[in-house]
């Protein structure tokens, strides 16, 4: 039986009223103008306007909650939580301002008389260095709250991680429950400004970025040397606002190290932020924990059970396909005309229609192999240093999980569009035209790779569903 989650009518209204254009753009989705609407680049059959959406291929649509349920495969409570921001610190724009309740002003939770529980939780349960905890407490970035229940019968104690603005005014607070039994409470205080979450600013040019305050403190515990010289920010989720605000306020910060969780969500966010930072001219590296996060690494160092790291499923599939490409590179046929690729695409559509997934996958992989070989051949004609191994490497490293959502049908439509574009290169003369031709082949290879990954994900999901049915 699933866990029952109660949402007020106001919460459900606000979730269903989220502006989907704003929501999707903040989550890294590319949108294409389509009249008064916006069309998803990753699924061009879907258009959005305000808080409404419509899937033209399925001839169905609705409002924000149903969109998030279908597009991300979430339950109703998960969809509402995502749209309301959950623990991410996100504030999505409403599609209209009707019936909007005025927000309560931000206020820090009432402090307790001491920090005994906070120290016990962070140093004994979380194994964070005591001096690190004390340093943040002395800076008034960390304290213990004592809050009453609505009926006044119970007290709740939380670690409160405070974020200040450039004028020293508290603008953000993240609460973490101090109870060791069960799943601990965590969340942002109402009316926080996500741009000013928990952070420390040093004098060096490096900014370390984390998902949660405890990750930040754990990293410093593991890497204590001269830590005060560097800058750190906890996003309190995976929203980029605080990271970008730190870079805006402190121009000396020109190098970011992403230290997000070693799991599917952390990997996806790291890819998105890496690309975002490079677009802004900010150099970026990534530091991965050995286990799921930095606090799990501390536990492992103390000989305690630790949650293992989780690789992104799409990366695992990508690696397998690219490994096969490398192994078969020398046996690929030289012919890669638009007609050849169109015929393979037509076969793939037909196989997919009849549920013949293995045959569909082979068509996509063959399109990928042919296109990689064709791109490298064009580069070779130009005396370009980019040989077939370089093209294969670009295909592997250029793949982004956050760009590969939606339906396989949409990916096949994008493939068809690129193959049509290929027909415009029948008479290639100049070096610039040859460069564009090679890039067109690389785009086709990238779409074929993404399509094959989506297909494998779908097949795995079907197998898991079947196994669940058999076990019931």
């Amino acid at each position: 039986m699933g866990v029952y989650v109660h949402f007020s009518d106001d919460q459900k209204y606000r979730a269903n009223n989220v502006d989907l254009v704003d929501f999707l753009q903040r989550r890294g989705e590319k949108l294409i103008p389509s009249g008064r609407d916006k069309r998803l680049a990753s699924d061009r059959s879907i258009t959005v306007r305000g808080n409404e959406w419509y899937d033209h291929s399925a001839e169905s649509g609705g409002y924000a909650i149903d969109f998030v349920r279908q597009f991300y495969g979430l339950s109703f409570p998960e969809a509402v939580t995502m749209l309301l921001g959950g623990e991410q610190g996100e504030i999505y724009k409403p599609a209209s301002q009707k019936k909007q309740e005025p927000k309560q002003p931000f206020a820090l939770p009432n402090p307790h008389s001491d920090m005994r529980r906070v120290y016990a939780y962070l140093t004994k349960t979380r194994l964070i260095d005591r001096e690190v905890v004390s340093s943040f407490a002395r800076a008034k970035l960390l304290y213990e709250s004592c809050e009453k229940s609505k009926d006044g019968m119970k007290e709740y104690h939380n670690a409160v991680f405070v974020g200040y603005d450039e004028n020293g005014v508290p603008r953000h607070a993240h609460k973490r429950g101090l109870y060791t039994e069960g799943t601990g409470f965590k969340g942002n205080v109402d009316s926080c400004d996500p741009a000013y979450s928990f952070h420390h600013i040093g004098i060096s040019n490096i900014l370390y970025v984390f998902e949660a305050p405890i990750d930040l403190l754990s990293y410093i515990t593991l890497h204590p040397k001269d830590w005060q010289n560097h800058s750190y920010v906890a996003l309190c989720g995976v929203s980029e606002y605080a990271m970008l605000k730190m870079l805006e306020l402190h121009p000396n910060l020109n190098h970011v190290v992403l230290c997000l969780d070693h799991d599917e969500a952390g990997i996806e966010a790291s890819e998105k932020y890496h690309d975002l930072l490079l677009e802004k001219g900010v150099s970026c590296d990534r530091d991965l924990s050995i286990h799921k996060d930095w606090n799990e690494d501390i536990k492992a160092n103390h000989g305690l059970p630790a949650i293992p790291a989780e690789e992104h499923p799409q990366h695992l599939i990508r690696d397998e396909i690219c490994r096969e490409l490398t192994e078969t590179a020398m046996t690929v046929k030289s012919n890669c005309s638009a007609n050849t690729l169109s015929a393979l695409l037509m076969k793939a559509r037909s196989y997919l229609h009849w549920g013949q997934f293995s045959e569909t996958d082979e068509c996509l992989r063959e399109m990928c192999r042919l296109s990689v070989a064709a791109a490298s051949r064009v580069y070779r004609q130009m005396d370009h240093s980019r040989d077939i191994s370089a093209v294969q490497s670009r295909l592997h490293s250029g793949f982004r999980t956050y760009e590969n959502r939606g339906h396989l049908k949409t990916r096949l439509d994008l493939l068809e569009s690129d193959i049509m574009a290929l027909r415009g290169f029948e008479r290639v003369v100049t070096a610039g035209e040859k460069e564009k031709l090679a890039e067109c082949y690389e785009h086709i290879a990238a779409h074929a790779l993404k399509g094959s990954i989506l297909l494998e994900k779908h097949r795995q999901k079907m197998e898991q569903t079947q196994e669940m049915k058999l076990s019931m």
Side-chain angles (χ1 to χ4, degrees):
M1 181 181 293
V3 177
Y4 175 74
V5 180
H6 173 74
F7 292 100
S8 68
D9 289 341
D10 177 66
Q11 286 175 309
K12 287 184 279 190
Y13 172 83
R14 286 190 288 114
N16 229 11
N17 201 46
V18 163
D19 186 298
L20 288 171
V21 173
D22 179 60
F23 171 83
L24 288 165
Q25 286 176 334
R26 294 197 191 194
R27 297 189 67 82
E29 292 292 333
K30 293 181 181 177
L31 300 176
I32 304 166
S34 180
R36 295 174 60 196
D37 303 331
K38 298 286 187 183
R39 191 176 298 275
L40 270 72
S42 62
D43 191 340
R44 297 193 184 190
S45 65
I46 295 177
T47 55
V48 295
R49 183 197 303 176
N51 64 329
E52 298 179 86
W53 65 280
Y54 190 76
D55 187 338
H56 296 265
S57 64
E59 296 184 346
S60 64
Y63 297 96
I65 294 175
D66 280 339
F67 172 82
V68 172
R69 291 184 69 183
Q70 293 202 34
F71 190 71
Y72 292 99
L74 301 179
S75 65
F76 180 89
E78 289 170 337
V80 173
T81 299
M82 177 182 281
L83 287 162
L84 292 177
E87 297 162 9
Q88 311 286 333
E90 296 275 13
I91 302 174
Y92 297 112
K93 184 174 72 175
S96 70
Q97 296 297 327
K98 291 185 271 184
K99 297 183 183 178
Q100 290 295 303
E101 295 289 333
K103 274 190 172 185
Q104 294 296 319
F106 170 74
L108 290 174
N110 292 327
H112 188 48
S113 58
D114 59 55
M115 291 182 59
R116 180 175 53 83
R117 292 178 182 83
V118 165
Y119 271 93
Y121 177 75
L122 293 178
T123 62
K124 295 180 181 178
T125 302
R126 292 296 193 148
L127 304 170
I128 293 168
D129 182 80
R130 186 177 186 85
E131 182 50 40
V132 172
V133 175
S134 295
S135 180
F136 280 88
R138 286 193 296 268
K140 301 187 184 305
L141 294 166
L142 169 64
Y143 71 94
E144 182 176 328
S145 68
C146 180
E147 301 165 74
K148 300 282 188 181
S149 59
K150 287 185 178 180
D151 59 12
M153 301 299 291
K154 294 180 180 178
E155 284 187 355
Y156 297 100
H157 292 259
N158 296 290
V160 181
F161 301 89
V162 185
Y164 294 87
D165 67 13
E166 59 269 33
N167 299 312
V169 178
R171 299 282 295 278
H172 192 283
H174 181 81
K175 296 195 294 187
R176 187 64 167 87
L178 302 175
Y179 304 98
T180 57
E181 298 297 325
T183 302
F185 167 79
K186 57 182 176 179
N188 297 328
V189 172
D190 290 340
S191 302
C192 282
D193 185 336
Y196 293 99
S197 58
F198 182 69
H199 64 274
H200 164 83
I201 299 298
I203 58 174
S204 80
N205 67 321
I206 302 174
L207 174 66
Y208 294 89
V209 180
F210 304 87
E211 289 188 28
I214 287 177
D215 297 326
L216 187 160
L217 299 180
S218 299
Y219 187 88
I220 294 174
T221 298
L222 290 164
H223 305 87
K225 185 178 179 182
D226 298 328
W227 73 264
Q228 293 94 339
N229 291 340
H230 306 304
S231 298
Y232 307 82
V233 62
L235 303 177
C236 299
V238 281
S239 164
E240 71 273 23
Y241 302 119
M243 174 182 70
L244 296 180
K245 193 65 176 180
M246 296 303 105
L247 295 174
E248 174 192 328
L249 293 175
H250 306 280
N252 64 299
L253 297 175
N254 58 18
H255 184 77
V256 171
V257 180
L258 297 170
C259 306
L260 307 185
D261 287 2
H262 195 157
D263 60 11
E264 187 170 344
I267 291 167
E268 206 157 308
S270 292
E271 288 183 349
K272 184 174 78 167
Y273 297 161
H274 180 271
D275 291 350
L276 175 65
L277 290 166
L278 290 186
E279 284 179 10
K280 293 179 177 293
V282 179
S283 68
C284 178
D285 287 321
R286 188 175 176 206
D287 200 355
L288 270 175
S289 56
I290 297 171
H291 299 83
K292 180 197 172 284
D293 58 44
W294 302 104
N295 196 248
E296 296 301 321
D297 279 4
I298 291 180
K299 290 179 185 177
N301 289 349
H302 283 77
L304 299 174
I307 300 173
E310 174 190 319
E311 302 305 330
H312 201 292
Q314 292 201 45
H315 280 181
L316 299 175
I317 302 169
R318 174 204 61 184
D319 292 348
E320 184 271 323
I321 294 172
C322 289
R323 187 164 46 248
E324 180 189 287
L325 277 176
T326 303
E327 292 171 353
T328 59
M330 303 306 296
T331 61
V332 176
K333 303 171 186 176
S334 59
N335 178 30
C336 187
S337 66
N339 288 339
T340 302
L341 293 171
S342 290
L344 282 167
L345 179 60
M346 190 178 299
K347 284 184 180 180
R349 289 188 189 278
S350 177
Y351 287 136
L352 185 63
H353 175 76
W354 295 107
Q356 295 173 289
F357 299 135
S358 295
E359 291 81 357
T360 307
D361 186 43
E362 184 49 45
C363 288
L364 290 170
R365 295 192 187 207
E366 180 66 9
M367 292 173 75
C368 192
R369 282 191 288 266
L370 289 172
S371 300
V372 165
S376 64
R377 184 173 64 253
V378 175
Y379 284 129
R380 189 167 59 249
Q381 291 169 0
M382 299 165 58
D383 293 326
H384 201 294
S385 60
R386 198 173 288 160
D387 60 11
I388 191 165
S389 62
V391 174
Q392 289 170 341
S393 178
R394 279 162 58 88
L395 178 69
H396 182 276
S397 62
F399 173 77
R400 296 291 184 267
T401 56
Y402 71 89
E403 294 178 339
N404 200 32
R405 303 194 192 102
H407 303 295
L408 177 58
K409 177 185 177 299
T410 305
R411 189 60 58 189
L412 298 182
D413 290 343
L414 293 172
L415 263 171
E416 184 174 18
S417 177
D418 275 350
I419 292 170
M420 289 293 292
L422 191 62
R423 296 186 184 278
F425 291 99
E426 290 180 356
R427 290 186 179 87
V428 178
V429 180
T430 68
E433 289 173 332
K434 287 188 176 181
E435 186 87 28
K436 289 180 180 178
L437 172 60
E439 289 174 357
C440 187
Y441 277 125
E442 287 193 85
H443 288 159
I444 292 170
H447 283 310
L449 172 65
K450 290 175 180 176
S452 186
I453 289 170
L454 286 176
L455 184 65
E456 179 60 20
K457 277 182 62 186
H458 177 69
R459 189 191 64 76
Q460 290 177 1
K461 189 174 182 180
M462 287 185 63
E463 284 184 357
Q464 290 168 0
T465 303
Q466 188 63 29
E467 287 173 4
M468 287 176 63
K469 287 180 179 178
L470 293 173
S471 64
M472 292 175 64

